């Protein structure tokens, strides 16, 4: 970083990431990646990114795959993995290869996570990695006459055991194998393990690192956000590249079973997970049960997010000061826009029922989310709520936003037209303009 423009870029970027850092701290993320990730030069960077997430207080469970490493060992023995109906058949030789490959891959990941060289991004980092028999498996058995041997499926996840490790600040590293109460080892799919673990932990996010972007074949464009219902339609339409199908299925299932958000992220883009998690629009595909941005009634848990949103505006004199206690007491009056765990906007409606009047207050949006009609949508929401309460006149007191309100149907009025209890609270020093909008029934 040589000049002042680099400095200001860095400062701006770092500040912009603050709300995401707040939103993600203490959350549980399960990340899965295929064995392919270990086979190119990007893997060390990916591990550094995991270390960074861990340092930022994110509770991390990593689930690795090992397919290329298993296939390499099979080929060396002159064998090939057999697939029937898209499922692997794991015979005794294949199981040996799985155990060898998984062991080697795990050791390599642990080694990278242990790195702390002074001249590397991992300098001073001390990450403890916990692996273990957290996944209980059962055999797939014989299906349509085919014996799948040591191929298994997840029977149970020891969520309590994993949580205990996460509570100590450890990164949990899981392999695509499971153990049965009979003492056998089963070959599992990394995505199935990741999904089952994310569901069992009720994780906040499942990050599926993929080998390519999730693109809709019909229009050739990357899918940025999608709900589980939309995913189901897309999977039926066959409008996805083959590689994306299992990932989107896993993401959809995880969200339907209680995981809040799943992200498909192209791991070939250096730093893709960081861009997805710490920038406004990310670059992966976000899958969620409900649309990922919602406008809803505020709850007590939103007070921190509202304060973070309005404090800079209070400091600029655009909004009046509101304490945490005030917000907690008045929370029922607030509506918020929430996006992926972050409060983007808010507005309050204070009703004066005897005078069929209401006051719109504390209308605010985060700076980087303005200009997309969210302000208008918040206003419409407050107007609808007002009408349902029999409010006929909606007032607003503002110092710097009069034109915005005038462009949205408000007209200037004077203090005498305010509800009487509100008149006595008017602060002449602030000298706010008073505007009113008459609401049609
Ligand atoms: C007022 C606010 C909620 C509007 O939200 P928004 O999503 O940007 O609004 P919309 O997308 O519906 O409208 C954007 C338009 O309003 C304009 N606008 C934004 N703030 C304005 C202001 N203070 N005065 C005049 N116009 C304003 C924008 O320039 C834009 O106009 P353009 O499309 O011609 O460029 C948002 O700008 C905000 O949070 N401002 C700071 C807090 C504030 O002033 N709150 C009101 C306190 S009473």
């Amino acid at each position: 970083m040589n000049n002042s423009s680099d400095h200001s870029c860095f400062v701006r970027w770092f500040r912009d990431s603050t709300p995401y850092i707040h939103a993600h701290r203490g959350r549980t993320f399960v990340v899965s990646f295929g064995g392919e990730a270990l086979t190119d030069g990007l893997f060390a960077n990916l591990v550094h990114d995991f270390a960074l997430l861990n340092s930022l207080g994110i509770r991390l469970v990593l689930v690795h795959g090992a397919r290329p490493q298993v296939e390499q060992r099979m080929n060396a023995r002159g064998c090939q993995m057999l697939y029937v109906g898209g499922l692997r058949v794991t015979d005794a030789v294949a199981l040996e290869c799985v155990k060898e490959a998984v062991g080697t891959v795990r050791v390599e990941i642990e080694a990278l996570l242990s790195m702390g060289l002074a001249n590397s991004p991992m300098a001073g980092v001390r990450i403890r990695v916990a692996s273990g028999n957290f996944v209980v498996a059962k055999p797939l058995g014989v299906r349509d006459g085919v014996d799948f041997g040591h191929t298994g499926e997840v029977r149970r996840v020891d969520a309590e055991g994993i949580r205990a490790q996460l509570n100590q600040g450890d990164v949990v590293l899981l392999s695509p194998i499971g153990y049965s109460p009979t003492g056998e080892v089963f070959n599992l799919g990394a995505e199935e393990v990741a999904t089952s673990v994310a569901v069992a932990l009720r994780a906040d996010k499942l990050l599926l690192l993929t080998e390519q972007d999730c693109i809709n074949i019909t229009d050739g464009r990357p899918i940025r956000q999608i709900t589980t219902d939309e995913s189901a339609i897309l999977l039926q339409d066959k409008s996805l590249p083959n590689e994306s199908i299992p990932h989107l299925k896993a993401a959809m299932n995880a969200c339907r079973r209680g995981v809040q958000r799943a992200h498909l992220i192209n791991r070939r883009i250096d730093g893709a997970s960081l861009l997805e998690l710490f920038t406004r629009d990310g670059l992966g595909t976000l899958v969620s049960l409900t649309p990922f941005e919602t406008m809803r009634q505020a709850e007590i848990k939103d007070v921190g997010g509202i304060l973070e949103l309005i404090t800079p505006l209070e400091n600029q004199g655009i909004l009046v000061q509101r304490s945490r206690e005030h917000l907690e007491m008045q929370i029922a009056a607030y509506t918020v826009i929430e996006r992926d765990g972050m409060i983007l906007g808010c507005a309050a409606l204070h009703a004066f029922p005897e005078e069929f009047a209401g006051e719109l207050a504390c209308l605010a949006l985060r700076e980087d989310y303005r200009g997309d009609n969210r302000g208008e949508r918040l206003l419409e929401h407050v107007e609808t709520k007002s009408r349902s309460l029999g409010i006929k006149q909606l007032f607003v007191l503002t110092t710097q936003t009069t034109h915005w309100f005038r462009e949205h149907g408000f007209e200037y009025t004077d203090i005498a037209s305010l509800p009487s209890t509100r008149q006595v609270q008017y602060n002449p020093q602030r000298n706010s303009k008073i505007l009113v909008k008459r609401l049609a029934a």
Side-chain angles (χ1 to χ4, degrees):
M1 225 174 296
N2 302 320
N3 56 45
S4 62
S5 103
D6 284 347
H7 288 161
S8 57
C9 255
F10 172 78
V11 169
R12 184 173 171 81
W13 165 85
F14 205 20
R15 282 185 182 145
D16 284 350
S17 59
T18 322
Y20 304 96
I21 295 175
H22 282 303
H24 298 328
R25 181 174 298 133
R27 309 278 170 160
T28 303
F29 294 0
V30 177
V31 187
S32 93
F33 50 94
E36 292 81 4
L38 282 93
T39 58
D40 62 33
L42 286 173
F43 192 62
N45 288 355
L46 186 63
V47 173
H48 296 159
D49 293 348
F50 293 152
L52 177 60
L53 298 182
N54 176 253
S55 312
L56 292 172
I58 293 168
R59 295 152 62 87
L60 267 192
V61 179
L62 307 178
V63 183
H64 73 82
R67 189 155 48 131
Q69 291 81 358
V70 172
E71 279 170 2
Q72 200 185 15
R73 282 168 175 76
M74 296 278 288
N75 293 341
R77 294 185 191 206
C79 317
Q80 277 198 332
M81 186 68 90
L82 182 65
Y83 287 86
V84 178
L87 297 167
R88 280 165 298 185
V89 177
T90 313
D91 60 16
V93 176
L95 184 66
E96 275 313 302
C97 295
V98 167
K99 286 199 259 186
E100 276 177 34
V102 158
T104 308
V105 167
R106 179 143 80 194
V107 169
E108 278 173 23
I109 299 171
E110 284 179 355
L112 278 172
L113 282 167
S114 308
M115 205 162 93
L117 289 181
N119 57 356
S120 80
M122 305 279 282
V125 178
R126 179 78 189 85
I127 295 179
R128 222 182 296 128
V129 185
S131 306
N133 57 344
F134 297 114
V135 176
V136 180
K138 62 182 180 196
L140 217 53
V142 180
R143 298 188 179 193
D144 293 331
V146 180
D147 185 350
F148 283 87
H150 304 280
T151 299
E153 57 188 347
V154 176
R155 177 170 167 183
R156 201 171 54 243
V157 173
D158 175 10
E160 212 176 300
I162 297 177
R163 272 196 208 102
Q165 302 299 328
L166 294 174
N167 290 346
Q168 292 180 38
D170 296 359
V171 169
V172 173
L173 175 63
L174 299 178
S175 300
I177 50 171
Y179 306 92
S180 70
T182 54
E184 288 164 83
V185 178
F186 287 96
N187 181 15
L188 305 173
E191 261 145 28
E192 193 207 345
V193 172
T195 309
S196 306
V197 168
V199 170
L201 292 174
R202 300 196 76 77
D204 298 285
K205 284 186 190 298
L206 169 64
L207 308 184
L208 298 156
L209 303 190
T210 60
E211 296 299 305
Q212 61 176 61
D213 287 322
C214 183
I215 290 171
N216 188 333
I217 296 176
T218 326
D219 59 10
R221 291 165 68 175
I223 302 167
R224 291 282 167 241
Q225 297 148 29
I226 190 165
T227 62
T228 48
D229 288 348
E230 289 164 348
S231 307
I233 295 171
L234 211 60
L235 286 164
Q236 266 185 351
D237 280 0
K238 304 202 174 12
S239 3
L240 287 171
N242 284 346
E243 202 265 343
S244 299
I245 294 173
H247 294 119
L248 190 63
K249 264 190 193 157
M252 183 181 81
N253 290 337
C255 291
R256 285 190 168 160
R257 291 165 62 200
V259 175
Q260 301 222 328
R261 307 261 188 257
H263 301 248
L264 271 50
I265 303 169
N266 182 351
R267 63 129 198 124
R268 287 171 187 263
I269 299 169
D270 191 19
S273 313
L274 301 183
L275 289 165
E276 178 69 3
L277 292 170
F278 297 100
T279 61
R280 190 191 125 147
D281 295 316
L283 50 62
T285 302
L286 188 140
V287 185
S288 55
L289 193 62
T290 50
F292 91 132
E293 187 173 311
T294 48
M295 193 183 297
R296 58 168 175 78
Q297 166 67 50
E299 298 166 29
I300 287 288
K301 69 175 167 65
D302 302 320
V303 168
I306 298 176
L307 275 171
E308 201 183 299
L309 162 70
I310 64 176
T311 307
L313 294 164
E314 291 175 357
N315 295 340
Q316 293 166 48
I318 296 174
L319 296 178
V320 286
Q321 303 275 340
R322 288 171 175 85
S323 66
R324 178 177 282 275
E325 293 69 32
H326 169 89
L327 286 173
E328 281 172 0
M329 275 164 53
Q330 296 285 326
I331 197 71
Y334 282 74
T335 300
V336 287
I337 299 182
E338 189 219 296
R339 179 174 164 126
D340 203 12
M342 192 167 73
I343 301 297
L344 299 189
C346 67
L349 172 66
H350 302 296
F352 300 89
E354 281 111 58
E355 290 160 84
F356 304 104
E359 181 186 350
L360 163 65
C362 202
L363 172 68
L365 282 170
R366 294 193 84 92
E367 211 174 332
D368 41 348
Y369 288 89
R370 290 182 198 158
D372 284 329
N373 289 331
R374 288 187 180 85
E376 200 166 285
R377 285 198 285 121
L378 272 168
L379 173 62
E380 278 167 12
H381 183 90
V382 169
E383 287 180 11
T384 309
K385 192 170 166 186
S386 302
R387 284 192 194 92
S388 73
L389 295 172
I391 290 170
K392 297 206 162 44
Q393 299 193 87
L394 188 61
F395 290 91
V396 67
L397 278 71
T398 180
T399 52
Q400 297 177 33
T401 320
T402 47
H403 280 208
W404 190 88
F405 287 109
R406 289 195 58 207
E407 285 169 26
H408 289 85
F410 285 77
E411 293 162 13
Y412 287 117
T413 186
D414 53 24
I415 185 166
S417 57
L418 280 176
S420 46
T421 45
R422 186 64 181 89
Q423 284 180 32
V424 288
Q425 288 166 357
Y426 182 82
N427 177 356
Q429 272 170 345
R430 191 163 160 81
N431 198 17
S432 302
K433 304 271 185 246
I434 304 166
L435 293 101
V436 67
K437 184 168 182 176
R438 280 162 242 287
L439 303 177

